[in-house]
Amino acid sequence: MSGTDSHSASRMGTAPMGPLLFSLALPMMVSMLFQALYNVVDSIFVSYVSEAALSAVSLAFPIQNLMIAFAVGTGVGVNAYVSKSLGEGNRNEADRASANGLFLALCTFVVFFFFGVFGVEAFMNSQTTDAAIRQYGVDYLSICCLFSLGCMIQCMAEKLLSATGRSNYAMITQLVGALTNIVLDPILIFGLFGFPRMEAAGAAAATVAGQFLGAFTGLYLNLRHNHDIQFRLKDFRPHGRTIQRIYQVGIPSIAMTSVGSVMTFCMNRILIGFSSTAVAVFGVYFKMQSFIVMPLIGLNNGMVPIIAYNYGARKPQRIVKVVQMSVVAAVTIMLLGFAAAQLCPGVLLSIFNAGPEMLALGEVALRIISVHFIVAGFNIVASAVFQALGRGAMALLVSLVRQLFVLVPAAWLLSLSGNVNLIWWAFPIAEVSPLIMCSLFLTHCYRTVVHPMLEQPASVV
């Protein structure tokens, strides 16, 4: 087993691309589907408490998303840098980047712990004056922030496993955490088997319990099976150059997802002016679209280390091939999501215990919003390519334009009509500019990064 394991990273530069991408991406796609279950399962069970509880979880989502942004974004930076270092044959730097990544995960937890102590109530008060919604939100979000260490360590452990081609182990880490959450959610929310009824707080407790168990599993699998990197005590000392290289990719990734948090916060503020049901519908859309987008994130997680490794090893043909295959797969996935939203929106909404008002509003919303799925797959893959090639600023710019410079202003302008259904058209409108930008940026990356490697010997580093 050890002999096979030791070649997990090197095969990214030699294995046939189709089977390689499939073997790395499929476990990560399954893994990300289970990641989506964390929030979705919470919302499904909470919806049977009350619509106020569902609205509260939706209002808490921007901060949860921000936590994931820092956890996953830092992990993406570590993933790309470790893969690139291994491609260059620099195992010492790969080891140091792995240890520094765990150190950064701990630092991130400290920040959100203090927000959990001092900032949660103010955040919920800024969005609603409804006492029931506010209290549910404070109960839920406080637990998620105070015990966010599990989220940070789990994400980092997964990215270290996928960086060296061990996507199966990363999937196991996710499965352990997600299944724990699914089992504990109804028990803690409704007080089954002698446990107290905790409602929204129970959903949060189930989530963090799953994250901690996933974190322990991920650490064990790295120590036991990830032989391409070694954890040494000296490497945990913060190293400025290594952290800088991690965040060259990580900060744009963090910022991209953080922009999503700002967008969600702004949309909640716009929609609450119409009704709490509109906020609940928007929250349900976000949970449902995660089942479509998360497999794409898993696809990207399989693609990024392949690109980064072959970038380090100077094998441009393999970079081009994996990008082409990933775009085709992403567009196919998004078209399936578009079809589901168009054909059976009521069925999807009924999963969240939607009443007549929520069904009427939600069916229109899902059909309109899902129009942007048609081109979103290409944009999502393109942004991941920019990150893998060290051009994270391009991905960040695309995200800023889409979500802040176009989507939020368009939604606000459409809200002035007084018709909440017009607001949903902001999503398709906002996808046009990223499509143009991603096409231009991909062309630029090919001309400046990939094509020059075709004209130089592979031995030149």
Side-chain angles (χ1 to χ4, degrees), residues 36-56:
L37 281 175
Y38 274 111
N39 237 304
V40 172
V41 171
D42 283 353
S43 296
I44 290 173
F45 284 116
V46 163
S47 69
Y48 285 88
V49 174
S50 67
E51 187 175 295
L54 178 60
S55 297

Side-chain angles (χ1 to χ4, degrees), residues 305-453:
I306 296 174
I307 294 176
Y309 185 97
N310 287 284
Y311 181 27
R314 305 192 69 79
K315 296 184 176 181
Q317 296 92 340
R318 293 180 66 79
I319 294 175
V320 172
K321 191 167 186 177
V322 73
V323 172
Q324 291 173 338
M325 295 178 66
S326 298
V327 167
V328 171
V331 171
T332 302
I333 292 170
M334 294 303 282
L335 286 176
L336 292 174
F338 170 75
Q342 295 296 317
L343 297 175
C344 52
V347 174
L348 298 175
L349 288 162
S350 65
I351 298 172
F352 295 86
N353 195 32
E357 182 183 357
M358 188 171 171
L359 276 173
L361 185 61
E363 287 185 4
V364 175
L366 290 184
R367 287 197 170 105
I368 293 174
I369 295 174
S370 64
V371 171
H372 87 275
F373 289 175
I374 297 172
V375 296
F378 171 79
N379 294 339
I380 292 171
V381 170
S383 293
V385 173
F386 305 148
Q387 294 172 10
L389 293 175
R391 270 61 176 178
M394 291 181 174
L396 174 58
L397 182 59
V398 170
S399 185
L400 283 171
V401 168
R402 177 186 178 272
Q403 299 190 80
L404 290 189
F405 300 161
V406 179
L407 197 156
V408 170
W412 177 75
L413 288 172
L414 291 169
S415 73
L416 299 180
S417 68
N419 184 351
V420 68
N421 288 327
L422 291 180
I423 296 174
W424 312 123
W425 282 106
F427 287 87
I429 291 169
E431 210 65 52
V432 177
S433 296
L435 177 62
I436 297 170
M437 294 173 66
C438 285
S439 300
L440 293 174
F441 288 163
L442 270 182
T443 302
H444 175 78
C445 285
Y446 179 79
R447 290 175 177 172
T448 60
V449 179
V450 178
H451 190 264
M453 285 193 286

